[in-house]
Amino acid sequence: MTFRTDSTEIPESGIGAPVNRVEARDKVTGSARYTADVRLRGMAHATVVTSTISAGRVRRIDTTRALGAPGVLTVITHRDRMPWRGTPADTGYLENRFPLADDKIAYSGQHLAIVVAKSLEQAQHAASLLDIDYEVHEPVPTMEEALPDAHTASGRLIRPPWPQHVVLPPGADPQAALAGADVRTDSTYRVPHFSHVPLEPGAVVAEWSGGTLTLHDCSQDVHGHREVVAAVFGLPSERVRVLSPLVGGAFGNKTDVWGHSLLAAHAARVVRRPVKLVLSRKQVFTSTGHQPPIVQRIRLGAGGEGRLAVILHDTVNATEVRGDRPEPAIVSTAASYAAPVLAMDAKITKVNIGPSISLRSPGDAPGSFALESAMDELSYRLGMDPLELRRRNHLTTDPLTGKPWSAKHLLQAYEMGAERFGWSRRTAEPRSMRDGGELVGYGMATAVRGEIPDQARAEVEIRADGTAQVRTATQEIGTGALTLVAQITAAGTGVPLGRVSVRAGDTNLPRTAGNAGSRTTGYTGSAVHLAAEKARKAAVRTAVTDPDSPLYGLADGEVEAADGRLFHRDDTKRGETYRALLARNDGKPVLAEASYTPRTSHSVATFGAHFTEVRIDPDLPRVRVTRHVAVFDVGRITNHKAARNQAQGGIVFGMGWALMEKLTPDPVSGRYIDPALTDYHIPVNADVPDIEVLFIDEPDTIAHPHGSKGMGEVVSVGVAAAIANAVHHATGRRITELPITPDKLVG
C-alpha cells in the first residue's frame, strides 16, 4: 500500500517538525484499509471454536449438524491431518504446540476447530452447532497455587536472549552486602494478568495461488511472520507474501504468529478459495497472549547517606503448562542505579493459562513498579527526598556490558520534570498535603529501557517528476512510523515532504526491524536515513559531472539539497531542480538502497522521569490522577506532535495498569472471569488527567546516525510506580499489588 503526504502540509516539515500523519486523511475519511477490510473475489468466512475448560482432552467433536448447516464449506478439527512441518522450536512458532495438533487441552480458549462458510453469520451459526465432549482434568488455576514449583526456564522462548541469573561483580556475596547495609528494605510486589486490548482484533485473510500463499495479516513484523508461516507449511519463504500496512493497535500481541493465522491459511487451501478469519472480542483476551502475573521480591541495602550498597531482585512469573517463557522484569533493574553489588534471578511456574507474549514495555514496566516502589520506600527509611535518592545513585555505565551509554541525560530530565511539576512544593510527611477534604500525594519514578539490537533495510527513489518514494516493510501500528520515514526521506533528499510517498507493510519490500521493542525509529529510521543520503549523493554526483548542469565541476561537498533542488552551498541561486537534472539524463530515477546494523561500542538505552499528583477522598478512596509531568531522553525527536501523542498514550497505558486493569482467573476452573471490555476496565477520557510531556531532544549519533532512538516503551515504564508512590505520600499506605483499587485503601 502506498501512502502520500498531505500537499497542504504546514511549511515547516523538517526533522522535529510537528507534521500531520501521512495516513491521517485515509483514517478520518474511512478509506484506510485494515486487514478485516480486505475483500477478495469468492472469499469465504471462518470462525474458530475454542475450549471452555482449562485442562483435559477432547473425547469427541460431533460435526454432523455443523456440516449440514446452510453455507458451510468445511469444519476442521484435530482429527484432520494437519499439514504442519517441523516443530515449534525449529519454526520459531510462539507456542510449544501447533494448533489442532492433538486432543489435549492446556488452557481455556485453546483452539479446537475452525468452521468455514460462505458468510460470517453462517460460520458463526455452524460453530454453535458443534457438540464437544470433554474429559475434564483438574487444572492449576492460579499462580499462587503454582508458586511452590517455581524453577528456572529452559530459555527456548527468551527472545532476544537475556540472563536469568546475574550476580555482579562475579563472586560477590549479595546476602553479606545486604546484612552489612545501614538501612534495608525487603518487600514483595505483585502484578496480575494484563491484556493488550488493541482496538483491532486479530484478523487474517489467506489466499493460495499456484502454490504461493498470500496472507493479509495483523502483524508487527511481516518478514518475521513470513519466515514462521513458510517454515510451518514447509514452503520456501519466497512463496509466502505477508501484507500488513495498517495495524489498529498491537502493543506486542501481534509480534508473533498465532494459531488463527495458520488455521486460516490451511482452511483456504482446503476450500480452494480465500478465507477471512476475524477473532471475536473475547477471543482477543484468550487467543493472542497477555502479560503473565508476576511476583517480585526487591531487597535494597544502603548507607546512611543514601548510597546503595546492594540490589537484590527476584521474580517468578506464570507461564502456560506447555510453555517456558520468563518475563524479563529484572532486565532494566541492572540499568537503573549504581550499586556495588547486584543480584537478580528470574523463575517461572506452570499454570493452565494461555501463552504469554510481550506487552508494551515487556518486563520493564512491571519490573520498574517493584524497583521504583522499593526506592521510594528506601527514601522514607532514610528520611531523604525520593528525587535526591535517585540523583545520588545515578548510573553512568551499563553494568551488564561494562560499556558506557551512547548518551544519557537523565539528571537533566529530573531537573526539568521537577521544576515543571513543582516538586519543591511537596511536603515530606505522608498525609501532610490536602486540598479541602481530599488527600493530595506527589510521587515520582525513573524510566529506563535498553534498546534491542536489530537490522534494517530501505530503498529511496528520487523520480523524474521531482517526487521521492521510500520503500520499507515497516507497518503503521498507530505510532506514526510512516510519517517518520517520510520526514527522514524528505530531510535526507531535500525533496519537500508533500512530494514524498511511502510504500510499506509488504514482504515484497526491504526487510526492516519489526514494529516492536521500540526499534522503528532507531533501526528502520537509520536505514531510511542512509538510503536517502545515498540517493541524494548519487544525484549530486550526476550533477557535478554533467557539463550541462549549473553545478558542473563543483566538489560533491559543495552541493546541498532543499525544496526539491540541488544548489551551491555558497551561492544558492546556482543550482537546478531534481526534475530538470533527471529529465536531462533520460528521466531515469535515482534509486538507492541501504542497510543498517548498529554499532556495538556502547550500550544504548532510553531514559525518563515521571512526576504525578493524585487526590483521594478518605471516605471513598478512589485514586484520581490529576496531573502528570514526564520528561524523556530519547535522542533527537523526529516529529514532536507524533512523539508527544505516543508518549501521552503510553502514560495512559501505565495509568490503566496502576489503577484498574486486571484479568482474573477463576480460582477453581482457571478460566478468566472478565475477558471482555464490559469487565476488563481500561482508562477512558474521564480518567485521563492533564499530561505534560517534555523532551531533552539531544541527538544521540553514537546510537544511530540520524540521532533518534525509539520511545514506544520507555514512556510506560515507571508510571505505575509513580502513582503508587504518590498514593503512599497521600495516605501513608504502601500498595504493593496492582491495580490500586479502593478496597486496598479502605480501613
Side-chain angles (χ1 to χ4, degrees), residues 83 97 176 189 227 242 363 421 555 617 639-640 709-710:
R97 168 191 176 274
Y189 301 87
E227 289 180 0
V242 180
F421 181 79
D617 182 340
N639 182 325
H640 272 271
K709 295 184 284 192

Side-chain angles (χ1 to χ4, degrees), residues 151 215 480 512:
H151 59 280
L215 279 182
T512 56

Side-chain angles (χ1 to χ4, degrees), residues 215-296:
L215 279 182
H216 301 265
D217 203 354
C218 301
S219 171
Q220 292 177 244
D221 182 5
V222 290
H223 277 278
H225 279 207
R226 177 171 75 169
E227 289 180 0
V228 173
V229 172
V232 172
F233 281 95
L235 297 171
S237 59
E238 61 269 18
R239 285 176 54 190
V240 176
R241 183 184 183 191
V242 180
L243 299 98
S244 184
L246 290 178
V247 178
F251 318 115
N253 84 331
K254 295 167 184 172
T255 55
D256 286 80
V257 175
W258 291 105
H260 66 272
S261 295
L262 300 181
L263 292 173
H266 173 54
R269 188 152 63 176
V270 170
V271 300
R272 298 184 179 182
R273 63 170 73 184
V275 168
K276 176 189 287 188
L277 193 163
V278 180
L279 296 180
S280 70
R281 177 56 58 188
K282 286 194 174 183
Q283 288 171 342
V284 170
F285 285 89
T286 59
S287 297
T288 55
H290 57 91
Q291 180 185 279
I294 312 172
V295 176
Q296 305 179 70

Side-chain angles (χ1 to χ4, degrees), residues 169-202:
D173 187 341
Q175 299 295 339
L178 184 65
D182 296 331
V183 181
R184 295 181 292 274
T185 69
D186 184 349
S187 297
T188 298
Y189 301 87
R190 285 174 164 80
V191 297
H193 300 256
F194 287 134
S195 182
H196 302 77
V197 205
L199 181 63
E200 176 194 38

Side-chain angles (χ1 to χ4, degrees), residues 136-150:
V136 181
H137 298 171
E138 184 175 352
V140 180
T142 65
M143 183 179 179
E144 295 300 324
E145 289 196 19
L147 276 175
D149 298 320

Side-chain angles (χ1 to χ4, degrees), residues 221 452-458 510-514 519 522-524 526-527 594-598:
D221 182 5
I452 302 172
D454 208 334
Q455 297 177 325
R457 291 172 48 239
R511 179 166 192 157
T512 56
R519 290 174 288 178
Y523 297 92
T524 301
S526 291
S595 59
Y596 173 69
T597 302

